[in-house]
Amino acid sequence: MTTTVTTPSTASGRAGADSAPKKRVSAGRAAAWVTMALIMAFTLLPFYWVLRTALSSNAGIYADPANPLPVDLNFRAFARVFGMQSTEAAIVDGGSGAKINFWLYLRNSIIVATLVTVGQVFFSAMAAYSFSRLRWKGRDAVFAIFLAALMVPSIFTLLPNFVLMKQLHLIDTLLGVALPTMLMTPFAVFFLRQFFMNIPRELEEAALLDGASKVRVFFTLILPMAKAPITTLGILTYIAAWNDYFWPLLVSYSGSSRVLTVALAVFKSQAPQTGPDWSGLMAATLVAALPMLLLFMAFARRIVNSIGFTGIK
């Protein structure tokens, strides 16, 4: 038999703990949590509505459009997206009977986004290294002019780029879709330049004293040290290239160069007599957006840390 002995100090400690006032939530903290919850709800509501529409039948959407839950819950819209449903079955299900060559457009989107990301990150890194580490006459003035391009709306460059692609015979090609943003952008150069300026110059000078050239220093010293911001820039560039719509719409005339964003718009307008196939369209949109959402969620912390380290506010 075990006997528990309670000392006066222990008893007083328990009494003090029991009598300690509980921490109350202030009104300001409660209001902050409520505001955050409302912001999250408004942010996630469009994604939920896309999912709800994709899981509903097209006929059910028109019959009960205000229902917050899926109407006639099914996965037939996803089968339609992946080419696993016939035209007759799609029409019976309330769809338009239109088809989307999802795998072809997915391949095109991957190729274009990869070309843009690899080219833009590589050439922007070289330009940023030149602006931050090399000394040449007029460097700061050229960088100021280059940085001023951030204030130029992208729509102003569409016509010159279109004329250039036409002269190069690259209209309706994947290279024509990717080329205008493949080289570099002012933001990418500015982003990497901020990081390169924080690298201790003594490391580069030591490598040069050991006989390394500027090119070798760039590839074997600067780029490995900048792996985090380069990865961040690559992710942001890939997402932007994946979601680009207006330029691919302007230069893509056939399925051979059409990316997913343009294909979804074409799919929506293929059967105006019966109305858009909303469940099929939302299923395709969800499948197209899901890889980018997962990519951003996986690297969100790295992106925030890299932006903070470069000093961008």
Side-chain angles (χ1 to χ4, degrees), residues 268-302:
K268 176 179 178 296
S269 61
Q270 275 180 335
Q273 298 86 359
T274 58
D277 182 1
W278 288 114
S279 75
L281 179 64
M282 292 300 104
T285 301
L286 185 64
V287 174
L290 189 59
M292 296 301 100
L293 290 174
L294 296 176
L295 183 66
F296 186 82
M297 291 172 61
F299 293 95
R301 184 182 296 274
R302 172 172 290 186

Side-chain angles (χ1 to χ4, degrees), residues 124 127 131 140-151 184-190:
S124 296
F131 283 127
D140 295 337
V142 172
F143 179 71
I145 296 174
F146 188 78
L147 199 61
L150 283 171
M151 296 182 289
M184 63 184 74
T185 62
F187 171 77
V189 174
F190 174 71

Side-chain angles (χ1 to χ4, degrees), residues 251-269:
V251 297
S252 300
Y253 299 154
S254 65
S256 61
S257 64
R258 191 171 289 158
V259 296
L260 268 175
T261 51
V262 179
L264 294 180
V266 173
F267 176 76
K268 176 179 178 296
S269 61

Side-chain angles (χ1 to χ4, degrees), residues 42-217:
F42 280 110
T43 302
L44 296 177
L45 180 60
F47 295 99
Y48 169 75
W49 204 256
V50 168
L51 179 62
R52 171 259 182 195
T53 306
L55 294 176
S56 303
S57 68
N58 209 50
I61 292 172
Y62 286 103
D64 191 6
N67 193 335
L69 299 177
V71 184
D72 184 20
L73 179 65
N74 66 87
F75 295 92
R76 294 190 294 272
F78 292 94
R80 204 148 60 245
V81 169
F82 292 117
M84 301 169 62
Q85 188 180 45
S86 64
T87 302
E88 294 76 13
I91 294 175
V92 171
D93 196 38
S96 63
K99 294 182 179 180
I100 176 172
N101 195 340
F102 182 81
W103 297 112
L104 173 63
Y105 301 140
L106 177 65
R107 186 208 67 179
N108 292 346
S109 291
I110 292 175
I111 293 175
V112 170
T114 302
L115 287 174
V116 170
T117 301
V118 173
Q120 187 178 138
V121 171
F122 177 71
F123 292 114
S124 296
M126 290 197 297
Y129 178 72
S130 175
F131 283 127
S132 62
R133 314 300 290 189
L134 303 182
R135 295 183 177 91
W136 42 279
K137 187 176 180 180
R139 182 191 66 176
D140 295 337
V142 172
F143 179 71
I145 296 174
F146 188 78
L147 199 61
L150 283 171
M151 296 182 289
V152 178
S154 59
I155 195 171
F156 288 171
T157 64
L158 289 177
L159 182 57
N161 283 332
F162 181 83
V163 173
L164 177 61
M165 294 302 105
K166 187 175 181 179
Q167 294 294 328
L168 295 175
H169 304 287
L170 293 177
I171 296 295
D172 200 24
T173 64
L174 292 178
L175 185 58
V177 177
L179 192 58
T181 51
M182 252 183 73
L183 299 181
M184 63 184 74
T185 62
F187 171 77
V189 174
F190 174 71
F191 181 84
L192 292 178
R193 176 181 177 270
Q194 294 298 107
F195 181 85
F196 291 163
M197 291 178 65
N198 292 324
I199 297 177
R201 193 171 290 275
E202 291 79 8
L203 296 175
E204 185 178 355
E205 292 175 351
L208 293 174
L209 288 175
D210 288 339
S213 64
K214 288 287 186 180
V215 175
R216 185 175 181 184
V217 168

